Amino acid sequence: MADTPDHVVVIRPEPFGVGYDVTVEPSPAGDTFDKEYPTFAGARGYARGLRLYRGWPIRDETGEGVV
């Protein structure tokens, strides 16, 4: 599994207004990293872990703060 810098971790509000979605775009072949969190802190922590472990940049679409 080769990691490419073409992936980005995206944090966005849940479409129904409850919680946050964290997705990797484009989705890596064979892996699913998408998760839902009830709090921004949880979503941010998971996104930071992916940035640290995989080297993928984070794009925050919530407008809630610094990632």
Side-chain angles (χ1 to χ4, degrees), residues 11 20 22 35-48:
I11 304 172
Y20 300 87
V22 179
K35 295 203 182 252
E36 295 177 13
Y37 287 90
T39 65
F40 177 70
R44 181 183 58 204
Y46 178 65
R48 285 178 173 174

Side-chain angles (χ1 to χ4, degrees), residues 7-12 20-25 34-35 43 47 50 57-62:
H7 297 289
V8 63
V9 180
V10 181
I11 304 172
R12 61 177 54 102
Y20 300 87
D21 288 335
V22 179
T23 59
V24 175
E25 298 176 358
D34 299 354
K35 295 203 182 252
L50 289 173
I58 299 171
R59 183 173 69 225
D60 179 5
E61 296 182 355
T62 66

